[in-house]
Every structure is written in C-alpha cells, then in structure tokens.
C-alpha cells in the first residue's frame, strides 16, 4: 500500500509542477531580452545632404545614451513588428521604418514597429515646441515678428516683419500649417534659438522622451537631431492633455488677422484626415530630405481614442495619410478584440513636474496607477495568480481522490 500511495503522490507532484511551469512560461518568454540591437538603435541613418554638418568650430554631438531598460516595457526593445500574441499583422503597404499605435487614454501601446529606433522627426518636433509654448507663454501675449523670423526657410505662413501676433494665432500657424517662420518667432520670444532648443530638450528629458534631441525649433535637420516613434507618441500623448494644443490640431480653418502691412493670412490644416477619417481628432505632418515623411494623428471611435506615429515613410504606393488611416483601423480592431497591449506610454517625471501643464499627468503615463496599465489589467481580470491557486486546489482534490481510491483498492 505504501508503494502505491508513494507512486500516486509522485504522479501528483509531477503533474502539479508541469502545470505551474506551463502557466509561468508565457510570462517569462514575454520578458526575454531581444537577441541583439535593432537597426538605428543609437542614431538615425546617415544624412543624405549637408544639413547636419556642424557650424565651423563646433563638433557633431555624440549619439544619445541608450537606456539599459527600454522605456515603455520589455517588448519595446524588440525589432520589427511588435503585435499581441495571436494577432494578425497590420495591413500591407505601410512604408514607415518605425511606427507606434497607442491608446491615448490608458497609455497602452497597441502595436508597434521598431518603436525605439532612432529617426528624425522633421516638423513633428513642433509638437515639442508647442509644449514649451503652452506652458511658458500666455495665449493672448503679443509677439512682434522680426525680419529674421519672416525670412526663415519655408514652409512658412507668411509672417510680416514688425507684425504683431498673439501666441494663440501663431500656435495655429505652427501646428496647422507647420510654419517655420512661426517656429522662429516663438524661439525669439522664448529667449533665442539656442535657449529654446535647450528648453525643448529639457522638456523631452523631463517627461521621459530619452531618444529625443532637438537641433532646431522647426524640425529642419541639424547636428544631433534624433527621436523615435515611441518618444513622439509619448510627446503627443502629453500634448493632447493640454486643452490649447488639442483644440488647435483639431481646427480645420483659421485666419491670422492682417498685420505689418500684409493682408490676413488664411490657414488650412495640413492633416488631410481631418474631416475625412471618422472621429479624427487632429495631428501633425512633417518632411525633410533626411527624415523623409513623418506623421502623427489621432481618432476616436466608440469611446476609444487611438493615435498613430509614423517615421521615415514614403508617399508610394499610397499616401502616408492613407497608410496612417489603415494603422488606425488596425488599432481599433485590436482594441475591439481586447488584445493585450505590447507596452505602455510611461512618463519618467514625477507628477509634480506636470503642474505647469496638466496636474493629472503622473509618472504612470496618465492612468493614475503605478503598476500595470488599465488596458493591460482588463485583459485578465481573474489574474494569473488566481488561475494558479484554482489549479493547485483542483489538483489537491484530484490527488486526494486518487490516494483514497488506491488505499481502498489495497485493503480489498
């Protein structure tokens, strides 16, 4: 009888160990380190022109340090497509070298491709400049455009030297039409180009955009310019919490009043999904020869707000905005299927640093929780621990039944 019971207990222990290992293995596999560094994990691809050549007497800045732990979760260090387990791949035809689809409310990253690869932002860096503007300048503050502001390399809205404009008017020109003359006017008002770039980089570092270094206020390429799809998703997530920013990017038409001897300036939003894609909330476009096409846009559907960032994209075989629309559709489909997030937007700064912008923005990415994001928590409300406990109890009962049955059989 003793040998029968011993064998039964050994079988029970083996079964229990195997079950516990099966439950724990997926979690361990998800956290496994990537096989090696991804392309452009330290710096963007080499420039195609001389726009990033340092000024005489200055050195090219070294690449930004790569964090030991990827910001946003372990999977953010992976190369190539990063999608939920079992999910279909995104639609064909997307040309972006890097992209991220995020939930603007929970901070969950729905899917991504090379999210921390270092790329160039082009005019998407104006979202970072706008963050500095809305936290340091008042909407009705008047800025007088200088001759240097008016003579910037365009795209420009057409500011007149000596013209008087409010911050709010200029913000529309900055975000709707990507005015480089407006970016320079803001830089002048904020203390000069070098000071403004330093403020932009300090803001990026403060909120945890560790792949980002602005070289110019406008997004024109310059020495050391760097960002990533993850960082621009984080910056846009933060910016959309600022009411003034969110209102401007959602504006389709605007007019800057006549000033400095020039007539009124009509402004039309460059983001072609506005008014076309259902529930579109606004965004930003960009292009330089080195950065190629860059894009950020957000939309709302059935109470869900998603945003997409695309870097180093091309206008063929389809327009970048159409590629972005398909990524948004893909993200909404994953959300509808309650797919598990692959990462999350994580602010590195303490909540106190957000006081000038949105005091509700905390170090947890705006969810109010210091642990798993709300999107991740909803996927398994019972939890892995609950299932393990249930299985253990079940196996103990089965084991007891087997031992009892063997004892009865042995006494017959």
């Amino acid at each position: 009888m003793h040998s029968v019971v011993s064998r039964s207990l050994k079988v029970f222990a083996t079964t229990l160990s195997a079950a516990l290992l099966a439950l724990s293995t997926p979690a361990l596999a998800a956290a496994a380190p990537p096989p090696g560094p991804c392309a452009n994990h330290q710096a963007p691809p080499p420039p195609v022109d001389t726009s990033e050549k340092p000024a005489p007497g200055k050195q090219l800045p070294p690449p930004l340090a790569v964090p030991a732990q990827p910001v946003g979760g372990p999977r953010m260090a992976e190369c190539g497509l990063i999608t939920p387990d079992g999910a279909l791949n995104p639609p064909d035809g997307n040309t972006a070298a890097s992209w991220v689809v995020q939930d603007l409310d929970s901070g969950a990253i729905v899917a991504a491709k090379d999210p921390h690869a270092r790329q160039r932002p082009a005019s998407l860096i104006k979202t970072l400049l706008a963050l500095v503007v809305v936290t340091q300048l008042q909407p009705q503050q008047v800025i007088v455009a200088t001759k240097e502001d008016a003579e910037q390399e365009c795209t420009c809205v057409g500011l007149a030297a000596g013209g008087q404009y409010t911050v709010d008017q200029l913000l529309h020109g900055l975000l709707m039409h990507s005015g480089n003359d407006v970016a320079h006017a803001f830089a002048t008002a904020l203390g000069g180009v070098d000071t403004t770039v330093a403020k932009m980089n300090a803001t990026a570092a403060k909120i945890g955009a560790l792949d980002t270094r602005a070289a110019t206020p406008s997004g024109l390429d310059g020495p050391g310019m760097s960002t990533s799809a993850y960082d621009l998703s984080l910056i846009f997530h933060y910016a959309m919490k600022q009411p003034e920013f969110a209102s401007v990017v959602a504006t389709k038409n605007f007019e800057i009043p006549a000033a400095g001897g020039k007539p009124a300036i009509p402004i039309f939003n460059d983001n072609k999904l506005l008014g076309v894609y259902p529930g579109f909330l606004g965004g930003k476009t960009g292009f330089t020869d080195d950065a190629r096409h860059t894009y950020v846009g957000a939309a709302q559907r059935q109470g869900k707000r998603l945003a997409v960032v695309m870097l180093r994209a091309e206008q063929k075989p389809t327009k970048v905005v159409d590629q972005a629309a398909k990524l948004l559709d893909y993200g909404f489909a994953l959300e509808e299927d309650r797919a598990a997030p692959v990462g999350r937007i994580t602010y590195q700064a303490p909540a106190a640093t957000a006081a000038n912008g949105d005091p509700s923005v905390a170090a947890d990415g705006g969810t109010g929780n210091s642990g798993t994001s709300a999107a991740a928590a909803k996927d398994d409300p019972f939890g892995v621990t609950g299932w393990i406990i249930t299985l253990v109890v079940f196996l103990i009962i089965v084991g007891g039944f087997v031992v009892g049955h063997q004892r009865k059989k042995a006494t017959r």
Side-chain angles (χ1 to χ4, degrees):
M1 183 178 71
H2 180 271
S3 62
V4 172
V5 174
S6 177
R7 285 196 303 272
S8 299
L9 289 175
K10 286 181 179 179
V11 170
F12 167 70
T14 301
T15 304
L16 177 60
S17 298
L20 292 175
L21 180 61
L23 279 171
S24 62
T25 298
L28 293 173
C38 303
N40 307 122
H41 76 289
Q42 283 191 319
V48 299
D49 54 28
T50 60
S51 60
E52 297 187 16
K53 185 177 180 180
K58 294 189 176 182
Q59 300 293 320
L60 183 69
L64 293 169
V66 177
Q69 299 296 326
V71 181
R75 295 203 65 186
M76 294 297 95
E78 294 180 20
C79 309
L81 286 178
I82 306 172
T83 59
D85 291 341
L88 294 176
N89 284 338
D92 293 334
N94 190 286
T95 62
S98 304
W99 56 261
V100 165
V101 179
Q102 64 156 314
D103 186 316
L104 271 179
D105 296 308
S106 71
I109 295 178
V110 181
K113 177 184 176 183
D114 288 352
H116 278 297
R118 303 280 170 84
Q119 307 287 356
R120 296 175 181 86
S123 285
L124 264 59
I125 206 67
K126 289 184 172 84
T127 59
L128 182 59
L129 173 61
L131 268 183
V132 176
V133 168
V134 299
T135 56
Q136 297 197 13
L137 302 177
Q138 297 300 314
Q140 297 309 312
Q141 180 177 337
V142 174
I143 293 177
V144 180
T146 67
K147 183 174 183 293
E148 188 177 7
D149 298 337
E151 294 177 349
Q152 288 300 299
E153 179 181 341
C154 294
T155 307
C156 301
V157 301
L159 298 185
Q164 298 185 14
Y165 308 94
T166 68
V167 168
D168 178 70
Q169 291 165 358
L170 292 180
L171 200 60
H172 283 79
L174 181 77
L175 296 174
M176 291 175 60
H177 190 60
S178 203
N180 291 344
D181 50 353
V182 174
H184 198 275
F186 276 138
T188 302
L190 288 165
V193 169
D194 290 346
T195 298
T196 300
V197 168
K199 289 180 177 181
M200 292 166 67
N201 289 329
T203 299
K206 181 187 294 184
I207 65 175
L210 305 183
D211 301 320
T212 297
R213 177 168 56 202
T216 64
S218 64
L220 290 173
D221 297 315
M225 182 77 89
S226 175
T227 193
S228 67
Y230 177 91
D231 274 18
L232 286 171
S233 296
L234 184 153
I235 292 167
F236 188 69
H237 184 106
Y238 194 104
M240 286 295 283
K241 292 178 178 292
Q242 319 307 318
E244 189 174 4
F245 179 96
S247 174
V248 170
V249 296
T251 303
K252 193 167 185 179
N253 304 301
F254 187 80
E255 185 174 271
I256 298 177
K262 282 193 173 183
I265 305 171
I267 303 293
F268 304 97
N269 202 311
D270 288 337
N271 203 318
K272 301 306 181 184
L273 290 186
L274 188 62
V276 175
Y277 189 91
F280 195 73
L281 301 172
K284 185 78 188 71
T285 63
F287 173 83
T288 69
D289 288 337
D290 283 341
R292 305 309 298 161
H293 294 275
T294 62
Y295 184 87
V296 59
Q300 180 169 325
R301 183 183 298 176
Q302 297 178 344
K304 287 285 184 183
R305 298 192 311 151
L306 298 187
V308 59
V309 166
M310 297 170 56
L311 298 182
R312 200 147 53 95
E314 299 295 343
Q315 295 283 18
K316 295 180 179 180
T318 59
K319 293 181 179 180
V320 171
V321 291
D322 295 329
Q323 297 173 40
K326 288 185 177 181
L327 273 185
L328 285 170
D329 288 342
Y330 176 68
F332 282 118
L334 291 179
E335 288 280 85
E336 187 175 349
D337 289 343
R338 297 175 62 84
V342 297
R344 65 196 302 269
I345 297 298
T346 303
Y347 296 120
Q348 298 298 305
T353 62
N356 288 334
D358 182 1
S360 67
V361 178
D364 63 352
T367 64
N369 300 309
S370 59
T372 307
S373 72
K378 72 182 182 183
D379 296 309
D380 187 9
F382 191 58
V384 173
T385 303
W387 287 112
I388 291 175
I389 293 172
T390 301
L391 181 59
V392 169
V393 172
F394 173 76
L395 290 175
I396 289 174
I397 293 173
V398 172
F401 175 79
V402 171
V403 172
H405 178 74
Q406 293 291 347
R407 283 177 175 173
K408 288 182 179 179
K409 186 176 180 180
T411 57
R412 289 175 182 173

